[in-house]
Amino acid sequence: MLLRTYLLRRDQGNALIYNSPGIAEAAEAIAQFGGADRLLINHAHEGMYGSPAIDVPVFVHERDRAGLGDSVRIAGTFTRRTKIDDDLEVLPTPGHTAGTTSYLWDSGVHRFLFTGDFIWLEHGEWKAVVLDERLRESYLQSLALVRDLDFDVLVPWGATDDGPPISETTPPSTRRRVGTIITRLENGESR
């Protein structure tokens, strides 16, 4: 599984999505593009890479803050669906973890949905995994939200190295793909 960090080049201030080792490797390039005003974490598992190798404020959902422990310095948290300026939306999507959060960015050309490990790509197929049975119902509710969102590119944190790191989509394709995941989880499967 290859993990990535993405730099969103925005007039309102660049943002990084996902914490990964790639931040250190790309520090110079990030600086050349104007740096970043914030790093948005999808879920607590990103804490395994510690604080990013650049000076950037880190934000995470309040319910995953404790899961990061002292490994990442947190500048702020959020608890609900909200907007960052007019182009970037914070969407709590609990299920993978209690504080999993997706981010919807309208670049003006495409609408990118950053889902972290909530939905990832395995051999090009959209996948999900229930890690905690107590969160299964939350996962299903979050998947229903995502199924009906308007976006055209899925951008997970991780993807297997034998397929693309992102997935272009259309509303009918999104409904079908997320519907397949919902059916599996409703039938008691873990992934």
Side-chain angles (χ1 to χ4, degrees):
M1 180 78 60
L2 297 176
L3 305 175
R4 292 174 172 80
T5 296
Y6 293 89
L7 174 67
L8 310 186
R9 296 179 61 197
R10 306 168 57 240
D11 292 338
Q12 305 90 330
N14 295 342
L16 291 168
I17 308 284
Y18 311 136
N19 191 26
S20 75
I23 292 176
E25 297 165 13
E28 187 175 314
I30 292 167
Q32 289 175 351
F33 284 116
D37 293 343
R38 67 188 76 226
L39 167 59
L40 302 172
I41 288 185
N42 167 263
H43 69 296
H45 300 154
E46 293 172 49
M48 73 176 102
Y49 298 110
S51 287
I54 62 173
D55 185 26
V56 62
V58 179
F59 296 85
V60 67
H61 192 283
E62 178 63 37
R63 293 179 72 191
D64 268 16
R65 182 181 189 147
L68 292 168
D70 295 330
S71 66
V72 179
R73 293 181 315 275
I74 302 300
T77 61
F78 33 80
T79 59
R80 60 183 170 78
R81 189 172 181 171
T82 189
K83 294 273 275 201
I84 300 172
D85 305 312
D86 61 348
D87 65 330
L88 184 55
E89 189 170 2
V90 175
L91 300 164
T93 48
H96 183 69
T97 64
T100 296
T101 302
S102 297
Y103 303 95
L104 181 62
W105 179 49
D106 186 342
S107 73
V109 177
H110 292 284
R111 290 177 54 86
F112 297 90
L113 183 64
F114 296 85
T115 56
D117 279 355
F118 173 72
I119 298 175
W120 78 90
L121 295 172
E122 185 176 295
H123 315 296
E125 185 178 341
W126 294 19
K127 294 286 190 166
V129 62
V130 175
L131 299 175
D132 183 340
E133 278 301 319
R134 296 171 295 179
L135 296 175
R136 183 178 294 272
E137 188 56 38
S138 295
Y139 218 139
L140 289 166
Q141 291 170 7
S142 296
L143 285 164
L145 168 72
V146 167
R147 179 188 56 207
D148 297 329
L149 284 177
D150 177 21
F151 67 97
D152 55 343
V153 183
L154 178 81
V155 188
W157 184 38
T160 54
D161 60 1
D162 62 349
I166 64 171
S167 180
E168 292 186 21
T169 189
T170 62
S173 179
T174 297
R175 285 190 294 277
R176 178 183 53 77
R177 290 169 164 172
V178 175
T180 298
I181 295 170
I182 289 172
T183 299
R184 284 196 304 260
L185 298 188
E186 284 178 337
N187 288 336
E189 296 177 40
S190 293
R191 50 178 304 163

